[in-house]
Amino acid sequence: MEKYDVLIIGGGPGGYVAAIKAAQLGKKVACIDNKQFIGGTCLNVGCIPSKSLLNITHKYHDAKHNFASRGIECKDISFSLDKIMKTKDSTVSGLGQGIAGLFKKNKVDYFNGLGKFESNNKISVALNGGENKLLEADNIIIATGSVPVTLPNIKIDEEKIVTSDGALSLKKVPKKMIVIGGGVIGLELGSVWSRLGAKVEVVEFADNILFGFDSDIRKEARKVFEKQGLTFKLSSKVTSAQIKNGKVEVEITSISGGNSEKVDCDVVLVAVGRKPNTESLNLGKIGIKLDEKGRVMVNGQFKTNISNIYAIGDVIAGQMLAHKASDEGVVVAEIIDGQHGHVNYDTIPGVVYTHPEIASVGKTEDELKNNNVEYKIGKFPFLANSRARTSGETDGFVKIIACKKTDQILGVHIIGDAAGELIAEATVAMEFKAASEDLARICNPHPTLNEAIKEASLAAYFKPIHL
């Protein structure tokens, strides 16, 4: 039996980062993960493959629909789905090999298999090669991530009725796809297949898409996506989906009126959220406490009710974001080392990698309104930004919300080209408790999209120049 200072169950963005950080701090470290490549769901069937497909399909769609208006003639443009998938797989394997190299460099032992608790400091691992091992550690970190939520009475086969996993590896472009859920995953993967020619309809339980985002962003996003060809059936739910004669018969019911209709499609994507991946860990055996949603309960130091066992990432409360898990991985390694790391959850940005992208950090206007916080708003459209005009990417805007009394920035919300990159400037500003005037007085290069952030900041504290 091998003994370690720190043992991590889960090799995703939280687990592998925690492993490397703990090793850098001088600990003897091991990491257990059962995926094909180290990197967890994010690398294997999540963030990375989906962004690869989003990037490739956007380029194809842009060339097919927009190049001619800009003077570039592309005749008979086509795509090879097989090559697109091979490119995606190559990206995944390359990054996975990179993480394996980082483990080797930092002397982290890696066990490819399924781990479960035998006691509070012993983990048995069923290795994918068939062998079993027993590992012991002074400290154990649970970082097993999340899995897709499924719906009752809808059987997933990952071919015609799929989760996000199956939607990343379809063998052909469906003529019609129904996406259940108008959140981040549904919109991203719906966009991928829509760009390749599928007719995509999104069925959403709420009265608008992207629940939890700022209401102005949600309205603009729906308008833009409808312009791209996606259709939305809101305040509705899918009550059944059955494969019949090679098609999927989907029953959609209106929440308000109760009226139902049956629609045929080629593929149904179930994208109604994710849940903690803890079922195989044998947590009940050692008495780890879970909350009502099945998440591992931790204190402010990421400790469970068992003092030497910690948990991070999607298995605990909070946003299910890869970068949030990575930050927690660094911090928990520091805490185990006797340091005092912390995560500022008020400045963790979120991004939707559709086109245009959507990015957000801090409070939404709805949250501030509900909490009776006095605020002011500055908005600036990309239509008035010179870089956006030169590139033809004029959809969207920047919205900055600041405290009415102190001018401190409380939230920034962007829908537009490269929003996921632009949000970093706002995140840094918020981390240092900047006022909208502070951000407005930063000199941005011209012409850049960043100037829209400056102008929105100007609008929040006084008046914009170019509007």
Side-chain angles (χ1 to χ4, degrees):
M1 182 167 60
E2 297 183 60
K3 175 79 181 291
Y4 294 91
D5 299 317
V6 182
L7 177 61
I8 299 101
I9 312 175
Y16 88 73
V17 168
I20 291 171
K21 184 66 177 181
Q24 289 174 343
L25 292 171
K27 308 299 182 188
K28 185 180 179 184
V29 182
C31 181
I32 304 164
D33 193 85
N34 69 332
K35 293 285 193 299
Q36 182 180 4
F37 299 107
I38 310 169
T41 292
C42 178
L43 176 65
N44 287 272
V45 286
C47 326
I48 301 305
S50 65
K51 275 58 190 178
S52 176
L53 294 181
L54 282 160
N55 179 58
I56 295 167
T57 58
H58 169 62
K59 288 180 176 179
Y60 166 74
H61 187 271
D62 201 24
K64 185 174 182 179
H65 296 279
N66 301 321
F67 276 18
S69 65
R70 299 171 194 168
I72 302 173
E73 300 295 339
C74 296
K75 294 182 179 179
D76 302 321
I77 187 168
S78 62
F79 64 88
S80 164
L81 185 58
D82 184 57
K83 287 183 179 178
I84 289 174
M85 291 299 174
K86 284 179 179 176
T87 301
K88 173 206 68 173
D89 293 342
S90 176
T91 302
V92 170
S93 63
L95 288 170
Q97 289 163 15
I99 299 171
L102 290 173
F103 270 19
K104 187 175 180 180
K105 175 185 175 182
N106 289 280
K107 297 181 173 59
V108 175
D109 288 345
Y110 175 58
F111 297 93
N112 185 212
L114 199 63
K116 66 177 181 179
F117 283 92
E118 298 299 338
S119 71
N120 70 324
N121 65 345
K122 290 185 177 65
I123 302 291
S124 62
V125 187
L127 295 170
N128 287 344
E131 185 185 353
N132 290 307
K133 290 190 80 73
L134 186 64
L135 307 177
E136 184 178 358
D138 294 329
N139 300 281
I140 297 173
I141 303 171
I142 302 170
T144 45
S146 58
V147 293
V149 171
T150 55
L151 294 170
N153 304 320
I154 296 181
K155 187 178 179 181
I156 304 293
D157 67 357
E158 297 297 13
E159 290 183 4
K160 287 195 167 293
I161 304 177
V162 301
T163 65
S164 55
D165 294 11
L168 291 166
S169 302
L170 296 179
K171 299 293 189 294
K172 63 179 181 178
V173 178
K175 290 181 179 178
K176 177 161 185 175
M177 170 184 273
I178 288 181
V179 178
I180 308 175
V184 176
I185 295 171
L187 291 173
E188 287 186 352
L189 292 176
S191 293
V192 165
W193 294 105
S194 173
R195 293 167 187 169
L196 295 178
K199 183 179 179 183
V200 175
E201 182 172 33
V202 179
V203 181
E204 169 56 45
F205 189 84
D207 61 358
N208 206 348
I209 59 173
L210 292 171
F211 179 80
F213 280 77
D214 187 88
S215 56
D216 283 346
I217 294 288
R218 299 172 74 192
K219 291 174 188 173
E220 180 73 5
R222 182 182 162 198
K223 182 175 72 176
V224 171
F225 295 147
E226 285 178 334
K227 190 167 66 174
Q228 293 174 1
L230 275 70
T231 59
F232 298 93
K233 197 171 288 293
L234 306 174
S235 301
S236 301
K237 61 181 179 179
V238 172
T239 48
S240 70
Q242 297 181 339
I243 299 172
K244 292 184 178 180
N245 301 318
K247 295 279 189 179
V248 186
E249 184 185 81
V250 180
E251 185 174 23
I252 304 171
T253 303
S254 168
I255 293 168
S256 55
N259 300 323
S260 294
E261 62 173 323
K262 290 185 178 179
V263 180
D264 286 343
C265 66
D266 301 288
V267 172
V268 172
L269 166 58
V270 181
V272 292
R274 299 182 67 85
K275 62 182 180 179
N277 178 27
T278 59
E279 289 183 7
S280 64
L281 291 175
N282 210 18
L283 298 182
K285 182 172 183 176
I286 59 170
I288 292 283
K289 291 183 179 178
L290 306 178
D291 67 13
E292 71 283 353
K293 293 184 178 180
R295 301 173 298 195
V296 178
M297 296 176 69
V298 295
N299 64 13
Q301 302 295 302
F302 301 100
K303 279 188 178 182
T304 67
N305 56 300
I306 298 176
S307 61
N308 70 311
I309 300 176
Y310 302 78
I312 59 171
D314 288 3
V315 294
I316 66 172
Q319 297 168 288
M320 289 185 169
L321 296 170
H323 44 285
K324 175 243 189 197
S326 293
D327 273 14
E328 290 173 343
V330 169
V331 168
V332 78
E334 291 174 336
I335 288 170
I336 289 171
D337 192 50
Q339 300 181 40
H340 301 281
H342 76 285
V343 177
N344 183 359
Y345 290 105
D346 291 331
T347 56
I348 294 180
V351 181
V352 188
Y353 294 90
T354 48
H355 191 84
E357 291 181 350
I358 299 164
S360 175
V361 63
K363 302 296 183 185
T364 65
E365 184 179 355
D366 313 81
E367 288 176 300
L368 296 173
K369 202 176 286 184
N370 292 337
N371 288 292
N372 298 313
V373 177
E374 292 188 327
Y375 61 89
K376 54 185 179 176
I377 290 172
K379 287 178 73 174
F380 192 81
F382 283 107
L383 186 63
N385 174 267
S386 54
R387 181 61 186 272
R389 292 289 286 267
T390 61
S391 61
E393 300 288 357
T394 55
D395 284 330
F397 57 81
V398 177
K399 176 179 180 178
I400 290 180
I401 310 173
C403 176
K404 194 170 185 178
K405 294 178 181 178
T406 68
D407 195 34
Q408 182 178 333
I409 300 168
L410 303 175
V412 179
H413 309 280
I414 307 172
I415 176 169
D417 186 34
E421 309 298 329
L422 296 175
I423 201 68
E425 180 179 345
T427 303
V428 171
M430 287 184 62
E431 187 66 41
F432 286 93
K433 302 189 184 303
S436 67
E437 182 179 358
D438 294 325
L439 198 50
R441 291 189 181 277
I442 292 174
C443 185
N444 294 115
H446 174 77
T448 60
L449 297 173
N450 297 73
E451 290 175 292
I453 294 178
K454 180 185 181 77
E455 292 279 0
S457 302
L458 280 165
Y461 101 90
F462 184 54
K463 292 180 180 179
I465 299 295
H466 292 95
L467 194 64

